Amino acid sequence: MNRYYISHPFTGNEEKNKADADRIRAALKEARPGICFMNPLGMFGNDDTDYCAALADAMELLSVCDAVIFCPGWENSCGCRAEKAFAMRQGIKIMYLQDFPEVMRRMGEEKAEQDMMQALNDDSARPFATVARMEGGKIVFESDIDR
């Protein structure tokens, strides 16, 4: 089974970036079940772990992979750029998430749904308290009046 490493920005908003990378890994696995997709975010250490030590561990994982997939925003991440330089030097196949249109489409749909739900639940945009949530593929509204 081929092993593909997912290179995703980490620092700046660690929890969001971990969650995004997890969603991307799941979407890739669903689209290409015959490939083992490895998401290094959160695999190495904890909040106290030295960044360089965690990056060294990630490079060790990358060294045994057949390919690396760079996610949007990689070019602004020192860690992702280091992973790309390492992959190039080691002769590891370089790919981009855009090379997986079915995953990009799914991620775009999920992002659009998240943005819509955030806008619907934005308190400043409503004259009274209403909460929107997805239920069975439909948007359900609940107001303070209904509670």
Side-chain angles (χ1 to χ4, degrees):
M1 177 179 280
N2 286 332
R3 294 176 299 245
Y4 285 21
Y5 180 101
I6 300 168
S7 179
H8 189 287
F10 178 63
T11 57
N13 190 342
E14 288 82 1
E15 291 307 312
K16 179 186 178 302
N17 289 333
K18 281 182 189 179
D20 286 348
D22 282 341
R23 279 193 296 279
I24 289 168
R25 191 207 58 76
L28 285 163
K29 186 65 179 171
E30 183 179 307
R32 310 278 175 95
I35 298 172
C36 177
F37 294 98
M38 298 186 180
N39 171 19
L41 298 190
M43 288 178 71
F44 306 110
N46 53 39
D47 292 340
D48 298 330
T49 302
D50 177 70
Y51 176 81
C52 291
L55 186 58
D57 289 341
M59 295 292 190
E60 183 68 27
L61 175 62
L62 176 55
S63 74
V64 299
C65 289
D66 302 294
V68 57
I69 301 169
F70 289 93
C71 297
W74 72 268
E75 60 280 344
N76 300 317
S77 164
C78 290
C80 293
R81 290 193 315 262
E83 290 165 341
K84 185 171 186 184
F86 180 83
M88 290 173 67
R89 183 161 175 85
Q90 298 297 313
I92 297 168
K93 183 178 181 178
I94 293 174
M95 304 176 79
Y96 301 90
L97 194 57
Q98 295 89 322
D99 296 332
F100 300 84
E102 68 278 21
V103 173
M104 290 297 292
R105 188 171 40 259
R106 176 176 167 188
M107 298 308 295
E109 290 167 0
E110 287 180 8
K111 175 78 170 109
E113 182 177 296
Q114 289 170 357
D115 290 348
M116 179 182 63
M117 294 306 292
Q118 183 175 354
L120 288 170
N121 287 319
D122 180 5
D123 286 336
S124 65
R126 296 189 312 263
F128 55 92
T130 302
V131 176
R133 67 181 187 285
M134 292 298 290
E135 191 174 287
K138 296 181 180 179
I139 300 173
V140 177
F141 296 94
E142 182 179 301
S143 72
D144 283 341
I145 299 167
D146 297 330
R147 292 187 223 166

